[in-house]
Amino acid sequence: MTGAVLIVDDDAAMCEMLVKGLSRKGFACRFRTAGDEALALMESEPFDVVVTDLNMRAMNGLELCARIVANRPDVPVVVITAFGSLETAVGAIRAGAYDFITKPVEVEALALTLARAVEHRALREEVRRLRHALAETRRFDELIGESAPMKQLHALVAQIVDSSASVLVTGESGTGKELVARALHRL
């Protein structure tokens, strides 16, 4: 699986090397050499995953990771560093990083991590979409039907559900008044 990757490192040569290697693996890569530039780019372009160096001037990788997670929790962040220790790895995970990789970075291993991150993001988005669809279908789970009158009934129930007014449901015997009342009560 490939995706759009934003690489953030204050070493432009490292960025270019990663762009070249990851592009060969099918990733669409962009890079920035400062955290604030990366955040600005994320405002205008969608990315599936961000790769950031830990030690950078001005804004370090943990600060960048925390800001991305706070503003775009759907975008996984992979932190890379030459100074890999248990403390820095724990710090990166606490900042919300998806993964932590030590330098020297092997493009093959990074590509696998990024593919997993992109897939993880896609699965989370699918779960969110399915939960939303399930919630929508369960809104009127007892009111079955797709005919025009049923759609009008669903629209009417949705319209009055947030009202604090009392509702009187009338109709002939066997038409589903109790089902409508239950749906209104549940919603």
Side-chain angles (χ1 to χ4, degrees):
M1 176 178 271
T2 60
V5 179
L6 175 58
I7 299 166
V8 188
D9 194 324
D10 56 2
D11 179 0
M14 177 69 165
C15 289
E16 290 169 0
M17 186 271 300
L18 290 175
V19 166
K20 186 176 180 182
L22 292 172
S23 294
R24 278 192 245 126
K25 298 289 182 189
F27 291 96
C29 300
R30 299 281 308 268
F31 76 88
R32 290 294 181 262
T33 56
D36 55 344
E37 294 174 8
L39 291 171
L41 183 61
M42 288 185 74
E43 292 292 322
S44 61
E45 292 185 34
F47 289 96
D48 295 310
V49 64
V50 174
V51 176
T52 182
D53 188 26
L54 181 65
N55 295 317
M56 298 185 294
R57 296 179 291 278
M59 183 188 307
N60 71 33
L62 293 184
E63 293 172 60
L64 177 62
C65 178
R67 288 188 55 188
I68 292 170
V69 168
N71 296 318
R72 295 284 311 277
D74 60 312
V75 178
V77 179
V78 176
V79 177
I80 56 175
T81 184
F83 309 102
S85 69
L86 182 59
E87 292 80 25
T88 53
V90 168
I93 300 304
R94 283 191 178 145
Y98 173 79
D99 207 344
F100 181 83
I101 296 175
T102 57
K103 289 181 182 177
V105 176
E106 295 179 26
V107 175
E108 196 71 34
L110 180 59
L112 287 173
T113 298
L114 295 180
R116 277 195 342 262
V118 169
E119 183 176 358
H120 177 78
R121 179 176 189 239
L123 288 173
R124 285 181 59 181
E125 178 60 29
E126 180 71 5
V127 166
R128 189 198 63 73
R129 188 189 64 72
L130 289 172
R131 282 184 178 155
H132 178 73
L134 180 62
E136 283 299 307
T137 60
R138 295 183 102 191
R139 285 185 70 188
F140 305 110
D141 57 350
E142 294 177 344
L143 303 176
I144 301 169
E146 294 295 320
S147 67
M150 285 304 292
K151 288 181 181 178
Q152 287 176 330
L153 176 64
H154 287 192
L156 181 61
V157 170
Q159 205 174 28
I160 61 175
V161 75
D162 291 328
S163 171
S164 61
S166 297
V167 177
L168 175 64
V169 181
T170 62
E172 294 182 28
S173 179
T175 57
K177 295 180 298 293
E178 188 177 322
L179 295 176
V180 170
R182 272 196 232 137
L184 279 169
H185 180 73
R186 188 179 67 255
L187 296 170

